[in-house]
Amino acid sequence: MSSTPSGPSDVFIHEAALCESRQLGVGTRVWAFAHILPGARIGRDCNVCDHVFIENQVVVGDRVTIKCGVQLWDGLEVGDDVFIGPNATFCNDRMPRSKCYPEAYLPTRIQAGASIGANATVLPGLTIGRNAMVGAGAVVTRSVPPNAIVVGNPARIVGYVDTVDQASAAASASAQVPAAQGGVQLFRMPLIKDMRGDLTVGEFGRSLPFTPLRYFMIMNVPSQEVRGEHAHKECEQFLVCVRGRCQVMTDDGHLRQEFTLDDPTLGLYLPPMTWGVQYRYSPDTMLLVFASHYYDADDYIRDYQLFLDEVASRAATGQ
């Protein structure tokens, strides 16, 4: 057992490791045959396993686990509480050539709480969002949203972590206005059937929660695409999948829920300050969205961390 030359005595460095950096946090452990270059910065309570290589321009947060066979190249920033599985690969040059070096390496960011599965490959210049999960062997070619689960080559979103699954059957038999405290709610609108065809109806301001000032329709979405990924400060929305199906993930900063919209008699109410994502569109999907306000770019919150900060701020002030 040894410690970094000027680092704290409670940093463990295996005698078979080569640690040239003096910037290791308290409680970090570096195991056999790992090599850490002088410029690398490693946080507290990290676990750097056998045969890990970490280059100079790399920043690793606190409580990070880096499993065997991983290389962290210049330009990589790893947040707190990240897990990196065995042999995960990170790239930092989109057009690599032998002996040709870019002026600056594309920054790749792995945000706090994310997990990277074994043998996954992450291309340069991307962000793996907070708490996201990258499946084993995935090839990540696009940034991954917070909390998303991605798998495959190229990696696609297949779900969201820590969601409460709300099946379509959870909708009540008749429309109900949401409780006074607000919150996401799934509505079942009445269905009238006769020999001339079927009809479903909802009355805004009576059986449904607000009177809309705007509507828009989403269609012709490639099934792998994700829409939404934002919250509104004031605007309410009501979603009806009039044809096909899609998944909707909602997040109020405390509870994350998953809904399937696959029936035109189902409507999903999103109150203000709800982070919403729609994905897994069928090829024929037509999603109709009613909005309580006219379009206002300033009403959008498009950064998940800013959304969480706003939720916390409103809670602190009793809003």
Side-chain angles (χ1 to χ4, degrees):
M1 178 184 297
S2 62
S3 63
T4 51
S6 63
S9 60
D10 50 359
V11 170
F12 169 83
I13 300 176
H14 193 280
E15 61 184 10
L18 176 57
C19 183
E20 301 177 79
S21 174
R22 301 185 179 192
Q23 304 178 83
L24 274 69
V26 172
T28 285
R29 302 170 74 83
V30 180
W31 295 95
F33 312 113
H35 185 183
I36 302 176
L37 295 189
R41 289 186 286 158
I42 313 296
R44 300 166 61 95
D45 298 313
C46 294
N47 196 36
V48 181
C49 295
D50 292 9
H51 297 283
V52 169
F53 176 72
I54 302 178
E55 242 181 344
N56 282 297
Q57 300 171 32
V58 174
V59 177
V60 175
D62 298 335
R63 300 173 302 279
V64 172
T65 296
I66 308 171
K67 300 299 285 185
C68 300
V70 173
Q71 299 89 43
L72 304 184
W73 305 108
D74 285 343
L76 185 63
E77 181 179 329
V78 180
D80 296 341
D81 303 298
V82 166
F83 174 87
I84 302 176
N87 300 304
T89 297
F90 300 91
C91 308
N92 65 358
D93 189 345
R94 290 190 182 275
M95 302 291 288
R97 298 287 188 186
S98 180
K99 305 298 183 181
C100 296
Y101 307 103
E103 292 184 6
Y105 291 102
L106 292 171
T108 299
R109 297 180 176 87
I110 316 299
Q111 294 184 341
S115 290
I116 312 296
N119 295 301
T121 299
V122 179
L123 296 191
L126 304 182
T127 296
I128 309 300
R130 176 191 179 109
N131 207 36
M133 180 76 67
V134 176
V139 178
V140 182
T141 61
R142 302 168 64 177
S143 292
V144 177
N147 305 304
I149 303 169
V150 300
V151 301
N153 180 7
R156 303 296 188 195
I157 296 174
V158 296
Y160 284 80
V161 298
D162 302 325
T163 56
V164 177
D165 188 20
Q166 304 288 350
S168 298
S172 59
S174 59
Q176 295 180 352
V177 176
Q181 70 269 22
V184 175
Q185 185 165 340
L186 193 62
F187 284 75
R188 173 75 71 181
M189 277 82 75
L191 176 65
I192 298 97
K193 301 172 70 75
D194 67 22
M195 62 186 303
R196 299 168 297 172
D198 301 342
L199 181 148
T200 184
V201 62
E203 296 181 303
F204 285 98
R206 296 182 66 181
S207 60
L208 298 180
F210 62 87
T211 301
L213 293 179
R214 177 171 61 102
Y215 81 87
F216 56 92
M217 187 173 291
I218 300 168
M219 64 195 86
N220 300 324
V221 178
S223 62
Q224 70 269 22
E225 295 301 318
V226 176
R227 296 191 61 92
E229 294 189 289
H230 60 256
H232 289 279
K233 300 173 186 176
E234 303 295 337
C235 185
E236 304 168 75
Q237 292 187 321
F238 192 81
L239 284 61
V240 181
C241 192
V242 298
R243 189 173 70 189
R245 60 169 288 156
C246 68
Q247 296 290 118
V248 181
M249 189 279 291
T250 66
D251 183 344
D252 65 4
H254 305 285
L255 176 64
R256 197 172 301 127
Q257 301 181 82
E258 185 93 11
F259 297 87
T260 300
L261 296 184
D262 58 358
D263 185 330
T265 68
L266 287 176
L268 185 63
Y269 169 66
L270 305 185
M273 292 303 298
T274 301
W275 188 268
V277 177
Q278 303 92 49
Y279 69 109
R280 281 193 186 174
Y281 287 85
S282 64
D284 60 340
T285 295
M286 295 181 66
L287 181 65
L288 178 62
V289 181
F290 296 97
S292 63
H293 290 58
Y294 296 122
Y295 175 79
D296 179 3
D298 292 335
D299 188 57
Y300 286 74
I301 305 175
R302 299 187 182 275
D303 181 276
Y304 185 69
Q305 185 58 55
L306 293 179
F307 164 71
L308 294 179
D309 293 345
E310 179 69 13
V311 169
S313 176
R314 293 190 180 204
T317 58
Q319 296 184 44

